[in-house]
Amino acid sequence: MNQNVLSLLAILSPAVFVLTAIVSWFQTGLRPNLIKKMATISTILSIMIAAISGFFVINFGLLETSLLGTEQLGLSIRLDALSILMLTMIALLGFIVVRFSLNYLDGDTRQGVFIGRLAATIASVQLLVLSGTLTLLFISWVLTSMSLHRLLIFYRERPGAIIAARKKFIVARIGDACLLAAFVILYSQFETGNLEIIFQEIKSNLVSGISMYGMEAAAILLVFAALLKSAQFPTHGWLIEVMETPTPVSALLHAGLLNAGPFLIVRMAFVMESSTYAPLILISIGGFTALFASIVFLTQTSIKTALGYSSVAHMGFSLLTCGLGLYPAAMLHLVAHSFYKAHSFLSSGSVIEVIRASKVTAASKRIGSPFRIGLGIFLALGLYVTFAFLWGIDPKNELSLLAIGAIIVLGLSRLFTSAIDSNGSLKLILRASILAVIVTISFFTLESGSHYLLSSQLPELVSPSLIEIILIATVLIIFGAAVFIQILAPTLSNNSFYQAMAIHFRNGLYVNTVFDRTVRALYEHHPQNKSILITEVKNSKSIEVERFEGQHVLQNN
């Protein structure tokens, strides 16, 4: 069997979802049984196709179909370790989300329409990760956005959903323009749209006419396309406001579609490595977004809003990791986050019940001892240094990996101090220690495994430049300060300044309000605005109420 036949097998996965979406146009009503069966069969076939395609890649390596087009522009399917990893993840998530949707909207007269739109979105994302040319990559990139938009406005009678979808639409079109401009530059530089040819020529420097300014511009445009796609600061507001869509949409969005940004950067990693400034932008904006969204996440009272800020933070961390050149680690984080976030949204109702039940039990109280806090930080640092030494990490050549690990150490220090600096028992401290060891071993082991699987498709890790070292140090210092403040939080809870800052952070420092006015998504002087607020007040957990309260607090301050 030749490469064409083996590669074309993978296209059957998005094809069956497209067929399901088309059939959904013709079957409506309370019981769209045919659509349900087709969607279920599609998800099962998708998993099987991903497994078979993975077997082919393991045995034959990179597989590509012939170019369907002209002038080195057209359509082609690419199967490699990266695309198989993403295809498998999407297939599994699609199975989970579709199965959940069959019961979630049971009895809804538009259930068939919803499942059809869901299938179209899954097909678009699968086509994105299978793209072998700039043309197909751009087409599928736009299709993912347009299919998501149709899901976001599924309930047209909900004003909040329409507002969020409008903001998302504007941001997405700007991102599309950036991606298109980047691809035009790359095509003009290499005179081909085939990704493999572009990557090989970058690696071997075969093209003498490549403009460094052109490559720099293309890389920067790719970065901005990824930042806009993954809801990075300051355009993250739309993601926090899409909670009025059905829960399966939130699960698919946060677990799958947001990953398009980091995936784009990882796919175009060789272009990123040829740039000086693009990685710096990723480190700066990704790092800041991760920190900002993490802090805001801690102040939220609505479970879904908190999960929204969590996704923003995770995407920022993934893009920060890409900026440091740790593409395997970024993919590891992306896959782990996807399954975690899908579970979080689909079980959000159960989570609320668990939180309510937890209030009955008395939690361990913090003591606030400087010695115990220092001991917790020292134990976390010692644990990390020990495992880094055992794994043989070179501090000079793998500084970026150590930096990402150091951020994990900051989380471990929070874990240790919460256990040691409390009136809890020795059992609590032992449990925290075991969990910390498991987290550390998992990080080093899974990162090594991810590097082994993806090394053939990604550039090798290089020593960071002086500017990157300065940025890395700055990120670590700021993250460290934030974690230290969080450790001291029990002793600061009654401080008026701390309480005021908590209110401001709960409203996202009002950045989303500025974003609303900028894109004119909210019609502040329109009569309908009052009805929107009245509608949202009836739902105490609505993001519109949070924005209204945020504006009120801002005016009073």
Side-chain angles (χ1 to χ4, degrees), residues 406-464:
I407 295 178
I408 295 178
V409 169
L410 295 175
L412 294 181
S413 64
R414 175 75 174 84
L415 182 65
F416 272 117
T417 53
S418 296
I420 297 175
D421 183 43
S422 69
N423 59 0
S425 63
L426 182 62
K427 182 179 179 181
L428 177 63
I429 299 175
L430 181 61
R431 185 184 304 168
S433 301
I434 294 174
L435 180 59
V437 171
I438 292 174
V439 170
T440 307
I441 294 177
S442 299
F443 169 74
F444 285 108
T445 304
L446 294 176
E447 197 283 330
S448 299
S450 179
H451 182 270
Y452 174 78
L453 291 174
L454 302 175
S455 59
S456 63
Q457 299 300 320
L458 298 173
E460 289 294 328
L461 181 63
V462 297
S463 300

Side-chain angles (χ1 to χ4, degrees), residues 184-488:
V184 169
I185 294 173
L186 288 176
Y187 179 76
S188 66
Q189 293 289 313
F190 297 95
E191 298 182 349
T192 180
N194 185 281
L195 295 179
E196 182 61 19
I197 296 176
I198 293 174
F199 299 158
Q200 291 298 330
E201 291 183 349
I202 292 176
K203 287 191 288 185
S204 55
N205 295 317
L206 293 177
V207 181
S208 58
I210 295 180
S211 168
M212 296 308 298
Y213 293 107
M215 293 298 294
E216 194 73 57
I220 292 175
L221 286 167
L222 287 172
V223 165
F224 280 111
L227 293 172
L228 291 167
K229 191 77 167 182
S230 296
Q232 296 298 279
F233 184 92
T235 61
H236 61 280
W238 66 267
L239 183 64
I240 313 303
E241 300 174 348
V242 295
M243 302 307 169
E244 291 192 48
T245 58
T247 297
V249 178
S250 297
L252 185 62
L253 167 61
H254 289 257
L257 293 170
L258 279 184
N259 295 329
F263 169 77
L264 175 67
I265 299 299
V266 175
R267 173 55 83 196
M268 308 300 290
F270 289 104
V271 178
M272 292 295 109
E273 291 302 300
S274 66
S275 169
T276 301
Y277 299 104
L280 302 181
I281 298 174
L282 283 175
I283 295 173
S284 302
I285 299 182
F288 177 80
T289 302
L291 179 64
F292 165 79
S294 297
I295 296 175
V296 177
F297 159 78
L298 295 172
T299 64
Q300 298 304 308
T301 55
S302 168
I303 182 67
K304 285 195 173 183
T305 303
L307 288 174
Y309 274 110
S310 171
S311 293
V312 174
H314 279 287
M315 290 301 102
F317 186 78
S318 292
L319 292 170
L320 164 66
T321 308
C322 290
L324 294 175
L326 298 170
Y327 302 107
M331 290 305 302
L332 170 63
H333 179 264
L334 185 149
V335 172
H337 168 260
S338 295
F339 287 108
Y340 147 70
K341 197 50 63 71
H343 174 268
S344 297
F345 270 101
L346 296 182
S347 62
S348 58
S350 300
V351 170
I352 293 173
E353 295 301 323
V354 171
I355 293 175
R356 287 175 178 172
S358 66
K359 294 180 180 179
V360 180
T361 60
S364 300
K365 295 182 179 180
R366 289 283 302 277
I367 298 175
S369 168
F371 173 76
R372 294 193 177 197
I373 292 175
L375 179 60
I377 296 174
F378 177 78
L379 286 175
L381 181 62
L383 179 66
Y384 176 68
V385 171
T386 300
F387 276 94
F389 175 77
L390 293 176
W391 251 257
I393 295 178
D394 185 356
K396 181 179 180 181
N397 297 323
E398 297 180 296
L399 180 62
S400 299
L401 182 58
L402 286 176
I404 290 297
I407 295 178
I408 295 178
V409 169
L410 295 175
L412 294 181
S413 64
R414 175 75 174 84
L415 182 65
F416 272 117
T417 53
S418 296
I420 297 175
D421 183 43
S422 69
N423 59 0
S425 63
L426 182 62
K427 182 179 179 181
L428 177 63
I429 299 175
L430 181 61
R431 185 184 304 168
S433 301
I434 294 174
L435 180 59
V437 171
I438 292 174
V439 170
T440 307
I441 294 177
S442 299
F443 169 74
F444 285 108
T445 304
L446 294 176
E447 197 283 330
S448 299
S450 179
H451 182 270
Y452 174 78
L453 291 174
L454 302 175
S455 59
S456 63
Q457 299 300 320
L458 298 173
E460 289 294 328
L461 181 63
V462 297
S463 300
S465 64
L466 178 61
I467 298 179
E468 289 177 331
I469 292 175
I470 294 174
L471 276 178
I472 290 172
T474 303
V475 168
L476 288 177
I477 291 172
I478 295 175
F479 268 79
V483 172
F484 186 70
I485 292 174
Q486 187 181 0
I487 291 174
L488 297 178

Side-chain angles (χ1 to χ4, degrees), residues 20-64:
T20 301
I22 293 175
V23 174
S24 70
W25 300 344
F26 306 100
Q27 187 178 41
T28 58
L30 289 175
R31 295 290 181 268
N33 294 324
L34 177 61
I35 301 303
K36 288 183 177 182
K37 291 179 181 178
M38 290 187 64
T40 302
I41 293 173
S42 297
T43 58
I44 296 173
L45 286 176
S46 182
I47 295 173
M48 295 173 59
I49 291 170
I52 296 172
S53 299
F55 174 78
F56 289 153
V57 170
I58 292 174
N59 285 274
F60 303 106
L62 172 66
L63 298 172
E64 287 185 296

Side-chain angles (χ1 to χ4, degrees), residues 501-531:
M501 291 304 299
I503 294 175
H504 295 314
F505 272 110
R506 180 176 181 268
N507 290 279
L509 297 182
Y510 315 102
V511 174
N512 194 33
T513 301
V514 177
F515 181 37
D516 284 337
R517 294 171 179 173
T518 302
V519 301
R520 300 190 179 186
L522 291 178
Y523 300 98
E524 297 182 358
H525 303 292
H526 196 281
Q528 188 185 10
N529 189 50
K530 181 181 291 186
S531 65

